[in-house]
Amino acid sequence: MNEAVIESEKKVIVFNLNQKEYCISAEYVTAIEKMLHITRVPNMPSFIKGVINLRGIIIPIIDLKQRFEIGDHDHSDNTRIIIVTWDDITVGMIVDEANDVLDIPVKAIEPCPNVAGSIAEEYISGVANIDHRLLILLDLELTIKPPELRKMNNGV
């Protein structure tokens, strides 16, 4: 019985960027942290803010607003770093706030509509309308796998 529930729902972490709600699959999230000191790394794109030392592990940090070209971050007490791991890459993503953990029915996820003024379609895997909330599901692989991050994770 539990297997049917697992297959019919997707657990996601909901976060805000510019007052819009985005989400990523919870299976890739390893931690959600308050803002930490970020050490700058030279010769990186502007959206890669640098690295943090989280419990002895060096983790590259990307600013999702700059990654998606939707503005710059104004850090507040609600600003969070969501630590995710995809394949062999671990990355922290700066978001305005991390709000919620939800179970979304898989049948509620629809393909991405072409919405002017939103992030590039290539980063979106779908949208879900849940209880009058429009959630934008990110394609985590495309979001965190630029060549610069692979180099940082492989120690090159």
Side-chain angles (χ1 to χ4, degrees):
M1 180 91 176
N2 285 342
E3 289 180 29
V5 171
I6 291 170
E7 292 174 3
S8 66
E9 292 183 333
K10 180 179 192 87
K11 187 174 289 299
V12 297
I13 305 294
V14 180
F15 59 90
N16 282 2
L17 292 174
N18 289 347
Q19 301 170 348
K20 290 184 181 170
E21 290 189 305
Y22 296 84
C23 59
I24 55 174
S25 180
E27 69 183 294
Y28 303 111
V29 176
T30 56
I32 299 174
E33 303 288 334
K34 290 185 176 184
M35 276 303 294
L36 300 167
H37 173 72
I38 300 172
T39 303
R40 205 67 192 129
V41 176
N43 301 320
M44 288 286 121
S46 63
F47 69 87
I48 299 178
K49 299 318 258 174
V51 296
I52 62 170
N53 183 340
L54 184 64
R55 296 182 274 285
I57 300 170
I58 304 301
I59 300 173
I61 302 298
I62 64 174
D63 184 324
L64 282 187
K65 284 185 177 179
Q66 288 186 348
R67 176 76 168 122
F68 300 145
E69 299 177 355
I70 58 172
D72 291 322
H73 252 102
D74 294 323
H75 300 295
S76 73
D77 290 338
N78 295 327
T79 303
R80 295 291 181 262
I81 299 175
I82 301 176
I83 310 296
V84 297
T85 300
W86 178 277
D87 288 337
D88 58 344
I89 295 177
T90 298
V91 173
M93 304 183 304
I94 300 173
V95 301
D96 291 340
E97 57 186 317
N99 310 0
D100 226 341
V101 178
L102 292 177
D103 290 316
I104 297 177
V106 172
K107 64 183 178 189
I109 300 172
E110 299 176 16
C112 174
N114 187 3
V115 181
S118 70
I119 66 174
E121 281 184 52
E122 67 191 80
Y123 298 114
I124 300 173
S125 63
V127 293
N129 190 346
I130 306 293
D131 299 326
H132 306 290
R133 293 168 74 182
L134 183 64
L135 303 175
I136 302 168
L137 285 77
L138 291 185
D139 183 319
L140 191 59
E141 181 177 19
L142 292 177
T143 301
I144 70 169
K145 278 196 153 182
E148 298 85 359
L149 291 178
R150 284 195 288 277
K151 288 180 187 176
M152 291 173 77
N153 270 271
N154 293 328
V156 176

